[in-house]
Amino acid sequence: MKTMEICTKLEQEEIVVVLDQAIYSKALQIVWKESQRFNKVILRLGAFHTTCVMLGVIGKRFDDAGLRDVLIESGCYSSWVNNGVMTGKALQPRHSNF
């Protein structure tokens, strides 16, 4: 509601709202359900989550082709990195004794 007020006050035809992935999915459902009410709202997924999605796509597409091995051998990331990078999920480093 506040977004629509800002849009009207600034005399904009539309307003872009950037959200993280969890809120984006809920907001998208609301905008679809109330399309007449929120017809000026354009929802965008934030850059971090967009990057995570893209990493997941690349990982799924090229992991079997040896992408993980190439990244490790080239030094782009080390072998301790789990599937986080290749799936677009948060990294969870393995515990090690240094």
Side-chain angles (χ1 to χ4, degrees):
M1 234 14 211
K2 187 72 171 174
T3 303
M4 295 303 294
E5 291 174 20
I6 293 170
C7 185
T8 304
K9 186 176 181 178
L10 295 175
E11 299 177 2
Q12 297 291 315
E13 290 183 28
E14 52 205 20
I15 190 161
V16 177
V17 181
V18 180
L19 306 163
D20 75 352
Q21 192 170 9
I23 298 173
Y24 174 81
S25 64
K26 296 297 180 187
L28 199 55
Q29 291 174 6
I30 293 169
V31 168
W32 284 345
K33 188 175 181 180
E34 301 283 337
S35 59
Q36 291 294 332
R37 186 176 181 187
F38 297 109
N39 62 343
K40 295 182 178 187
V41 176
I42 298 173
L43 299 176
R44 295 284 182 246
L45 188 59
F48 173 77
H49 293 285
T50 301
T51 302
C52 288
V53 169
M54 183 54 97
L55 284 172
V57 169
I58 291 170
K60 186 172 185 171
R61 176 77 170 102
F62 296 108
D63 191 29
D64 290 339
L67 179 61
R68 182 182 313 275
D69 297 331
V70 170
L71 291 172
I72 291 170
E73 291 295 321
S74 67
C76 289
Y77 73 74
S78 63
S79 60
W80 66 265
V81 175
N82 68 358
N83 291 337
V85 172
M86 299 303 282
T87 61
K89 305 286 184 197
L91 295 178
Q92 297 175 357
R94 295 178 187 159
H95 298 288
S96 61
N97 298 326
F98 286 104

